[in-house]
Amino acid sequence: MEAAEAMDPAVFRAALASFPSGVTIVTTRGETGTLHGFTASSFASLSLDPPLVLVCLDRRADCFPVFMAAERFVVNIVTPTHAELAMRFATKGADKFAHGGFQYDEERPPLLPDAAAVLLCELEQAVPGGDHVILIGRVREARTGGAEPVTWYRGDFLRLGERAA
């Protein structure tokens, strides 16, 4: 095992890729009504009482200033059928909502009706964390779907129960 004295970013990234995680698409709307979102695998429950979740957003993301100003956001826990969509939301400059299948109105941020789960959140706090910010959301509404979530492991999507190559 390599020591962490002079941390090589590639080694650090490879080590993190060894931890499988779920995949989410986080969405909001800007002050002018424009839709914004990003893909995140850094997502976790934080508290049951009050109901809080956290998700990490890269400070270099195009949507960073919008999320910092947003009062609400939605965490969509994606399924294997959303893999291409999740890749689009992870790409800078992509037209993220072009072929989405999202539902939204003038009040709520976009949500994926066929997601494994959807959490509608109010921004409780934004905490600095290195090159990311940790968005803490108070869950105001939760919905579950019938599909299983997908996992991200070593740079690829895996279905639950599937073995990595």
Side-chain angles (χ1 to χ4, degrees):
M1 202 180 262
E2 289 191 38
E5 290 174 7
M7 181 55 61
D8 178 344
V11 172
F12 183 55
R13 179 169 235 153
L16 296 178
S18 297
F19 181 73
S21 66
V23 181
T24 65
I25 295 175
V26 184
T27 60
T28 195
R29 63 173 58 249
E31 291 177 2
T32 62
T34 56
L35 306 179
H36 298 271
F38 64 97
T39 297
S41 58
S42 296
F43 165 77
S45 61
L46 179 59
S47 169
L48 290 176
D49 186 18
L52 300 174
V53 297
L54 65 83
V55 63
C56 299
L57 172 61
D58 190 326
R59 291 176 178 275
R60 298 163 297 190
D62 293 340
C63 62
F64 178 80
V66 176
F67 274 88
M68 291 296 85
E71 294 178 8
R72 296 181 294 170
F73 62 91
V74 171
V75 177
N76 299 279
I77 299 175
V78 302
T79 70
T81 61
H82 300 121
E84 184 179 319
L85 185 63
M87 291 305 292
R88 185 176 331 128
F89 272 75
T91 305
K92 275 190 169 229
D95 187 358
K96 297 178 179 182
F97 292 92
H99 310 291
F102 286 89
Q103 288 181 345
Y104 52 91
D105 56 31
E106 292 184 19
E107 297 283 320
R108 295 179 179 217
L111 60 89
L112 282 169
D114 57 345
V118 175
L119 303 166
L120 290 89
C121 304
E122 287 182 3
L123 182 61
E124 182 91 357
Q125 189 175 3
V127 180
D131 60 2
H132 281 63
V133 66
I134 303 160
L135 302 176
I136 298 174
R138 182 179 292 256
V139 180
R140 294 300 184 186
E141 187 178 330
R143 302 177 187 181
T144 58
E148 289 186 341
V150 69
T151 59
W152 184 251
Y153 177 68
R154 294 192 172 166
D156 203 1
F157 293 100
L158 293 176
R159 294 174 182 264
L160 293 179
E162 185 177 51
R163 291 185 180 258

